[in-house]
Structure formats: C-alpha cells, structure tokens
C-alpha cells in the first residue's frame, strides 16, 4: 500500500475526504491547532495517526466512503 504525500492542509483534507487513499503523509509543517482538528475528524472515521521518519501518517484501516457533502470533482472520481 503506497503512501500519498500531502503538501498542505487543504490537500490532506481533500485526499482524506476523497475516500480513494488509505494512507496520507502530512509532508508539511502543521501547527498544533490544525493537527488536532484533523486528528479529531479522522479519528471519528476510524483513522490511526502515527509518526513516520519525518512526518505524521494518517492511515484508514478500511476504505471510507465519502459523505454526500463532498462534491464530485475530477480529482476524487475513479476513472
């Protein structure tokens, strides 16, 4: 299973909400407020957060179906 790197908080949220990836590495400097907000959102959906060599990695144990609130875009639809 490959790890997808997110370069910003917005990109990380998009990847995690897409339901397409199971592992996202937070490859950017994240402040504590952003980290805990993201941790709460992901933890509610069954994610595990671990510390990698350099960055935090968020892993979902099973595939997550995105909510209906997420609009379909070219980046989050499997083609």
């Amino acid at each position: 299973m490959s790890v997808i790197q997110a370069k910003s908080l917005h990109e990380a949220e998009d990847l995690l909400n897409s339901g397409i990836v199971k592992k996202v590495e937070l490859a950017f400097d994240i402040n504590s407020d952003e980290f805990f907000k993201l941790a709460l959102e992901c933890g509610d959906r069954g994610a595990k957060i671990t510390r990698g060599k350099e960055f935090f990695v968020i892993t979902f144990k099973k595939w997550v179906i995105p909510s209906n609130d997420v609009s379909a875009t070219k980046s989050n639809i499997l083609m």
Side-chain angles (χ1 to χ4, degrees), residues 13-24 41-48 58-68 70 76 78:
E13 289 174 335
D14 286 347
L15 287 169
L16 294 166
N17 289 330
S18 72
I20 297 172
V21 296
K22 287 181 74 171
K23 279 190 173 187
V24 175
E41 291 172 1
C42 293
D44 288 343
R45 294 172 34 209
K48 179 179 176 183
I58 300 174
T59 306
F60 286 103
K61 292 182 182 179
K62 54 187 172 184
W63 293 107
V64 177
I65 298 171
S67 68
N68 290 336
V70 178
N76 68 3
L78 291 175

Side-chain angles (χ1 to χ4, degrees), residues 30-38:
I30 186 169
N31 68 37
S32 59
D33 289 339
E34 294 170 338
F35 176 81
F36 287 112
K37 177 183 173 262
L38 193 59

